[in-house]
Amino acid sequence: MKKFKKVLVGLFAILLAVVATACSNKSNSSKDGYTPKSLTIQFVPSQAANKLEARAKPLEKMLSLVSQFMFQCQLTTTLLLKQ
């Protein structure tokens, strides 16, 4: 009986989610909204920065080729200053 209730509650939750998204008035088109011309990906180096940058540049070119956006890969570093 408990298993049946869990299944019933799960199905009800899925049905509720489907109904809520189907009744939405929002559209996925960005004709009226803002569409960026380029996207920036920032990496925090966990290894030598020059190795990571060498691996990120081909990724930048590949993503730009397969999408409509211009991608820019950047390495983000944080300098700790003594106060």
Side-chain angles (χ1 to χ4, degrees):
M1 190 66 169
K2 286 184 179 185
K3 191 173 184 178
F4 177 72
K5 285 183 181 180
K6 287 182 181 181
V7 170
L8 189 62
V9 168
L11 288 174
F12 181 72
I14 292 171
L15 179 66
L16 183 64
V18 169
V19 169
T21 56
C23 295
S24 174
N25 289 333
K26 290 185 178 182
S27 65
N28 289 337
S29 67
S30 60
K31 293 178 183 176
D32 298 333
Y34 170 73
T35 303
K37 295 192 186 318
S38 67
L39 299 172
T40 302
I41 302 172
Q42 294 185 344
F43 293 98
V44 177
S46 60
Q47 54 187 344
N50 56 357
K51 285 184 181 179
L52 186 60
E53 187 173 13
R55 292 178 181 170
K57 288 302 176 185
L59 176 66
E60 176 182 302
K61 291 177 184 174
M62 182 192 69
L63 289 173
S64 295
L65 287 174
V66 298
S67 70
Q68 62 183 358
F69 301 109
M70 177 62 84
F71 282 84
Q72 297 174 345
C73 293
Q74 296 177 348
L75 293 178
T76 304
T77 57
T78 304
L79 296 176
L80 299 175
L81 302 175
K82 293 182 181 179
Q83 295 181 0

